[in-house]
Amino acid sequence: MRGADAVAKSIAMKIRFFAAGAFLIALASVASAQQNNTPPPALLAAIAATQGAKVAYAFDYSFASAQANVSAHFDPKATPQLRLTGVDETQLRNDQRQMLNQLRQQVDGVSWCAGERMAHIAHAQLLREDATTAPYSFQPTRDSTRGQAAHYADRLRGEITITKSNPYVTAIHIFTPTAFDPIPFVHIANVDARVTCELAPNGRRYAAQTVSQTSGSGFGQSLDQRNVQHVTNLSAAP
């Protein structure tokens, strides 16, 4: 039974990190409402401006859920780049160390809301617009996502909001419209992630907060988890 329990816990952790991967799904984007997948001019302008202004920032990172609360500092010039704050990492349990290692694989720098992957989404459609913003729906693809989520990109849907003047991406919403089974004996009932984009010191917007909800089951164990991730205190690495 211990072996089965270990497998179940491992699967549950993979599901949790599938949800946490929404922090990185923020790199996905929109295409235009035309028949082709060429991004609208406002998005192209936002991507170009972001790429031209990118800075390797250090920042504080937090991850909170019912199962774990993590506070860490990211330094692009350090090894490892992500270190826990106020915790002796040598005292971590095996499951805690596994979680930290997965976070280190996922958190590799600031997640820009108008990142270069944003040009690779598909089937974008203008939902509505007002004088200042234009929200689009879109289909994430493997090229527009990363991490575990890339394997299930066809199961995801998204919405993104772009400003019309001095274009920025202000918000991203990623969700699963229907339930699915990513691997045998694992069922994902729902994934919903909302990214709030805020201004970095360079004047471009980054994923400052990600709130994600995942429900499902794995090997008979139910999962209902809400994660909240924050990136704060950006500063240029010395």
Side-chain angles (χ1 to χ4, degrees):
M1 291 298 296
R2 289 183 180 179
D5 288 345
V7 171
K9 289 180 180 179
S10 175
I11 293 298
M13 177 171 287
K14 289 181 179 179
I15 298 174
R16 289 198 292 272
F17 274 93
F18 174 73
F23 175 72
L24 299 168
I25 297 173
L27 295 174
S29 171
V30 302
S32 70
Q34 302 171 1
Q35 292 300 313
N36 58 36
N37 289 324
T38 302
L43 179 59
L44 290 176
I47 294 173
T50 299
Q51 294 304 303
K54 284 175 66 174
V55 176
Y57 287 116
F59 55 85
D60 292 329
Y61 171 80
S62 66
F63 175 96
S65 71
Q67 290 76 24
N69 288 281
V70 175
S71 294
H73 182 74
F74 180 90
D75 184 343
K77 295 186 178 181
T79 303
Q81 294 178 318
L82 187 72
R83 291 182 180 273
L84 299 181
T85 56
V87 175
D88 182 357
E89 294 183 12
T90 63
Q91 301 301 312
L92 295 178
R93 302 190 308 268
N94 286 339
D95 60 329
Q96 293 173 326
R97 187 171 299 281
Q98 181 180 358
M99 179 178 182
L100 177 58
N101 289 338
Q102 292 204 41
L103 280 176
R104 282 174 171 160
Q105 292 175 16
Q106 293 180 349
V107 182
D108 57 1
V110 172
S111 181
W112 298 103
C113 290
E116 57 189 343
R117 290 176 179 265
M118 299 177 74
H120 298 290
I121 63 85
H123 308 307
Q125 294 185 354
L126 182 65
L127 295 174
R128 58 193 175 279
E129 60 182 324
D130 56 31
T132 59
T133 62
Y136 290 79
S137 65
F138 67 94
Q139 170 64 61
T141 68
R142 284 177 175 262
D143 291 332
S144 70
T145 58
R146 57 179 294 182
Q148 294 186 36
H151 298 292
Y152 319 116
D154 61 326
R155 299 288 187 170
L156 303 172
R157 298 296 184 272
E159 295 179 2
I160 189 168
T161 302
I162 309 171
T163 60
K164 292 183 175 180
S165 177
N166 189 19
Y168 294 101
V169 173
T170 62
I172 301 169
H173 180 205
I174 301 292
F175 59 96
T176 50
T178 59
F180 69 101
D181 301 333
I183 58 177
F185 307 110
V186 173
H187 178 71
I188 299 294
N190 179 66
V191 172
D192 188 279
R194 294 180 183 272
V195 179
T196 301
C197 305
E198 295 184 0
L199 287 174
N202 65 353
R204 305 310 302 170
R205 290 184 182 263
Y206 72 101
Q209 175 182 276
T210 301
V211 179
S212 58
Q213 181 77 36
T214 303
S215 59
S217 61
F219 286 84
Q221 294 190 358
S222 62
L223 169 69
D224 187 0
Q225 180 163 339
R226 182 177 185 269
N227 301 325
V228 180
Q229 301 175 77
H230 287 102
V231 172
T232 58
N233 300 324
L234 274 63
S235 62

